[in-house]
Amino acid sequence: MKKIILLFLTATLVSFSASPIKISKYDKRMGTVTYNPNDVIVVYAKEGYFTMIEFDEDEEVVVGDTGFNEGWTIKHSGNTAWIMAKPYMSSVAEVEGEGGLVNKKMVIPPNPKDWATNLFIRTDKRVYIGDLRLSSSRANYKIKIKYPNKYFKQKQEKYKEVQRKKEIKHIKKELDRVKVPRNWDYYKKVNKGSEDIAPNYVYDDGKFTHFGFDRTKKMPAIFLREDDKEFSINSHTRRVGKYYVKTVHKTGKLFFLRSGKKLVGVLNGGYGKNPDLAYENTNNPRVKREIR
């Protein structure tokens, strides 16, 4: 029976885990903690000092509360909350006076034993649960919450963007081997949920407009918008490096890319501005380029 009880107590102790605060190498009063919705954050405070908790930059604190509101105060603004221990007034107690026992209220100062409680903070994106501990020897002046999944994703997206720019630079270099003027002044507006049909790049050579898509994208239908009407255009597709390029046999000021309910608008910022964008031009003035 003792063995069973011991195993039960061990399991109970293990189940009460908490997200550890990583202390700054510059100052032990500053630290970071990795967000885990299934773990409790242990916050150490010191009487007379506040502790600041900084959440994700794009979230806002909505409400903060503790299990002992008389002994703690929580203020918040934007993505930051400030927590501080405070004394409180006790209920009426009988104390010895000149005329005997009298009723009197007493101020109870914060103490580590009685001020331990739990912490609840809700933002517009997440819920945070913590343990509040009052200590005379240690305190967290600032705790910054880190979000590994989000920043790992941002790092991946940044890497992809760098690779995309390198690929586009390579494509431009390859295209520039043929001396044809090109217009890269294009802008796109991507409707929500339509990212997978948005082109990675767009350019025209004065005659045709070329839309480049990487392998993760779906090839949409492309329409020319003129006089408040949409027109389908002849096109062909080819492989250029890591991209599939859909070439429509026309230039224009505004194109719509569609796939089901998905929609991307592409605006030609250089439309009609460069008279040298003549597709028929070549290095030899006596030779004209002709599509057959």
Side-chain angles (χ1 to χ4, degrees):
M1 179 63 68
K2 291 182 178 179
K3 185 176 181 181
I4 295 175
I5 293 174
L6 181 61
L7 289 173
F8 174 76
L9 289 174
T10 303
T12 303
L13 290 172
V14 171
S15 65
F16 289 98
S17 62
S19 295
I21 294 177
K22 185 178 179 181
I23 302 301
S24 169
K25 64 180 180 179
Y26 303 105
D27 193 318
K28 64 181 181 179
R29 293 167 295 186
M30 313 290 280
T32 60
V33 61
T34 301
Y35 175 71
N36 185 337
N38 299 313
D39 269 355
V40 171
I41 302 171
V42 181
V43 179
Y44 285 92
K46 189 175 181 180
E47 184 182 358
Y49 299 81
F50 69 81
T51 297
M52 181 177 78
I53 304 179
E54 184 178 310
F55 303 98
D56 204 0
E57 58 186 10
D58 61 351
E59 67 181 321
E60 184 172 350
V61 178
V62 177
V63 64
D65 208 350
T66 76
F68 182 28
N69 288 328
E70 294 88 351
W72 294 91
T73 179
I74 300 180
K75 297 180 180 180
H76 58 84
S77 176
N79 69 328
T80 306
W82 294 269
I83 304 169
M84 188 174 181
K86 63 178 181 179
Y88 78 99
M89 190 74 69
S90 72
S91 57
V92 176
E94 290 186 342
V95 297
E96 189 70 31
E98 294 181 357
L101 293 176
V102 295
N103 293 329
K104 187 177 181 180
K105 288 189 175 183
M106 299 180 62
V107 175
I108 308 298
N111 65 83
K113 180 180 177 181
D114 298 329
W115 257 248
T117 186
N118 62 337
L119 169 69
F120 169 84
I121 294 179
R122 180 169 65 84
T123 70
D124 55 352
K125 292 180 180 289
R126 302 176 180 91
V127 171
Y128 301 83
I129 303 296
D131 273 337
L132 278 176
R133 299 286 184 265
L134 190 64
S135 173
S136 58
S137 59
R138 62 184 294 188
N140 303 121
Y141 282 9
K142 178 182 177 182
I143 300 173
K144 183 175 178 61
I145 313 295
K146 297 180 69 176
Y147 307 84
N149 293 335
K150 174 182 178 180
Y151 291 106
F152 176 73
K153 184 177 179 181
Q154 288 180 345
K155 190 174 181 180
Q156 281 187 319
E157 291 175 350
K158 186 176 180 179
Y159 173 78
K160 289 180 180 179
E161 179 65 16
V162 171
Q163 294 302 114
R164 185 185 72 85
K165 289 181 178 178
K166 286 182 179 179
E167 186 68 20
I168 291 177
K169 185 177 180 181
H170 172 71
I171 290 172
K172 288 182 177 180
K173 184 177 179 181
E174 290 296 315
L175 290 172
D176 287 341
R177 291 183 181 181
V178 180
K179 299 298 181 181
V180 177
R182 290 180 175 84
N183 167 39
W184 293 87
D185 189 14
Y186 279 84
Y187 307 87
K188 60 185 177 182
K189 173 65 173 65
V190 182
N191 277 12
K192 185 177 181 181
S194 304
E195 292 80 5
D196 60 343
I197 68 166
N200 296 85
Y201 64 86
V202 184
Y203 74 91
D204 71 76
D205 50 27
K207 185 72 173 182
F208 288 173
T209 308
H210 309 272
F211 299 79
F213 302 85
D214 64 35
R215 300 178 193 178
T216 66
K217 303 295 182 67
K218 297 178 181 178
M219 194 70 70
I222 301 177
F223 299 89
L224 175 65
R225 181 79 171 181
E226 286 183 348
D227 300 326
D228 295 328
K229 295 181 180 179
E230 290 184 31
F231 303 92
S232 59
I233 321 164
N234 291 334
S235 64
H236 66 271
T237 304
R238 71 188 190 281
R239 180 80 172 270
V240 179
K242 296 181 180 179
Y243 292 86
Y244 293 94
V245 179
K246 189 165 188 176
T247 299
V248 298
H249 301 174
K250 194 171 178 59
T251 61
K253 188 172 182 60
L254 179 61
F255 294 91
F256 283 158
L257 283 60
R258 297 182 179 274
S259 178
K261 294 183 178 180
K262 299 177 180 181
L263 174 64
V264 174
V266 175
L267 176 68
N268 182 356
Y271 186 71
K273 295 181 180 180
N274 189 351
D276 295 330
L277 280 174
Y279 181 82
E280 294 81 3
N281 291 345
T282 65
N283 291 332
N284 190 330
R286 294 178 298 173
V287 177
K288 295 293 182 181
R289 185 175 283 103
E290 181 180 344
I291 298 298
R292 291 184 179 273

